Amino acid sequence: MLAVGVLAAAGIAVPAANATEESTPRDTSVAPAAVPAHAVTGYWQNFNNGATIQTLAEVQDQYDIIAVSFADATSTPGEVTFNLDSAGLGGYTVEQFKADLAAKKADGKSVIISIGGEKGAVAVNDDASAGAFADSAYRLMQEYGFDGVDIDLENGLNSTYMTQALKSLSAKAGSGFVLTMAPQTIDMQSTSNEYFKTALNVKDILTVVNMQYYNSGSMLGCDGKVYSQGSVDFLTALACIQLEGGLDPSRVGIGVPASARGAGSGYVEPSVVNNALDCLTQGTNCGSFKPSKTYPGLRGAMTWSTNWDAAAGSAWSNAVGPHVHSLP
């Protein structure tokens, strides 16, 4: 993704995040809003890589879930922290970030902290690291007001201990906890994969899995045929694997780049995303692949990123957002 690494590989400099400035503790306990039945997720970049720099307040209104990218690993295995890149974001302060986050929540949005990215080195592979993950993520929720977490670990995970960590975090957070995931396509090809197993293990607390249908290459669909990225069939035939593999439609979304600049490959026009949503929910506007049944409860769509969306005139959210929100 989402990937500072992918972007750096493209020759775009990504400044290191500065240490979070000291601030007076504040009440961040804005009541969490319920995630809509059909929701749009967008990743907000805590770094400047050539996309439009945004404050949280400037994130487009079509986004229901805003995933702040990314948390940082500490020297303690499993532990995460967050360092706002104030310098890279034009002097955006921690206090303003917290105020903007609270205002988004008051406006009915969910704001979560994303763990990972292509270079995210957070390892949860034993009891101690599972505990450190849950404890530190909960501290971030308390300090900043995050509604939950997004799991975007692209270098592997351990389903046993990540399940343990997420269930512990959910128990600490209580009602309103938002849990999203952004696996790569290879991670969701089979229910035996660790990422897929994790999603199934936590499906009782899971909000949505927004698989990344990009930077992928060709993959198998649920009919056993090979599909190439960048097509409506790629979106629908791969979503079918999750939908028939044990995830409720309300926990499945389609993740795509907001513009051709947002990923190395796999960009599709917003109209293709909308066609895929129609195909999966209503059986219309399909390509050569048509699912054997419809999934009207499908959660929605995700994009990397709100910043790349803004750089393209918000064309993605202006087209996909209303379509998601009008799904039956």
Side-chain angles (χ1 to χ4, degrees):
M1 216 177 202
L2 296 182
V4 173
V6 166
L7 302 164
I12 300 171
V14 180
N18 292 349
T20 303
E21 65 188 54
E22 293 296 326
S23 57
T24 304
R26 58 179 289 148
D27 181 7
T28 56
S29 57
V30 178
V35 175
H38 298 298
V40 180
T41 302
Y43 286 80
W44 175 84
Q45 298 178 187
N46 177 40
F47 50 86
N48 175 9
N49 66 348
T52 299
I53 295 174
Q54 291 181 312
T55 64
L56 279 185
E58 293 168 332
V59 171
Q60 300 88 328
D61 192 54
Q62 292 293 340
Y63 292 103
D64 305 293
I65 303 173
I66 302 166
V68 171
S69 311
F70 296 98
D72 299 311
T74 74
S75 58
T76 300
E79 186 177 65
V80 295
T81 188
F82 177 66
N83 300 300
L84 184 70
D85 185 11
S86 295
L89 302 181
Y92 195 24
T93 68
V94 171
E95 282 302 301
Q96 189 58 54
F97 174 85
K98 289 180 177 180
D100 289 348
L101 194 157
K104 281 292 184 184
K105 292 177 63 171
D107 196 33
K109 312 301 183 182
S110 298
V111 186
I112 59 179
I113 180 68
S114 182
I115 315 295
E118 187 193 26
K119 298 296 183 182
V122 179
V124 177
N125 50 23
D126 57 22
D127 287 331
S129 55
F133 179 93
D135 290 344
S136 59
Y138 184 54
R139 285 196 298 271
L140 294 180
M141 292 178 66
Q142 291 179 302
E143 179 180 356
Y144 291 95
F146 294 121
D147 293 299
V149 297
D150 168 68
I151 304 301
D152 179 27
L153 295 171
E154 302 183 10
N155 299 298
L157 54 74
N158 180 303
S159 61
T160 298
Y161 293 105
M162 182 53 72
T163 297
Q164 181 177 314
L166 292 173
K167 292 205 169 186
S168 175
L169 177 57
S170 175
K172 294 174 185 291
S175 62
F177 177 65
V178 176
L179 171 59
T180 70
M181 295 183 175
Q184 299 172 103
T185 53
I186 191 66
D187 295 321
M188 302 299 283
Q189 282 278 284
S190 167
T191 55
S192 64
N193 290 358
E194 289 295 287
Y195 226 122
F196 208 145
K197 287 198 293 187
T198 301
L200 293 173
N201 288 346
V202 299
K203 62 184 181 181
D204 57 323
I205 59 171
L206 179 63
T207 305
V208 63
V209 175
N210 292 304
M211 191 175 76
Q212 301 175 41
Y213 292 78
Y214 51 98
N215 293 338
S216 168
S218 299
M219 287 285 159
L220 290 173
C222 67
D223 57 357
K225 296 181 180 179
V226 177
Y227 293 95
S228 299
Q229 64 178 353
S231 65
V232 67
D233 289 330
F234 189 76
L235 304 181
T236 55
L238 270 67
C240 176
I241 298 174
Q242 299 168 63
L243 293 162
E244 294 299 314
L247 289 178
D248 188 84
S250 66
R251 292 175 171 85
V252 176
I254 295 173
V256 296
S259 74
R261 297 178 66 196
S265 63
Y267 172 71
V268 293
E269 293 291 335
S271 60
V272 176
V273 180
N274 289 345
N275 286 344
L277 293 169
D278 289 343
C279 179
L280 292 168
T281 59
Q282 301 163 69
T284 61
N285 294 326
C286 298
S288 62
F289 172 82
K290 186 170 184 177
S292 59
K293 63 182 179 181
T294 57
Y295 309 91
L298 193 80
R299 180 67 85 173
M302 169 275 276
T303 199
W304 176 263
S305 63
T306 66
N307 308 75
W308 284 119
D309 185 24
S314 298
W316 191 90
S317 57
N318 285 340
V320 177
H323 198 81
V324 168
H325 296 140
S326 68
L327 290 173

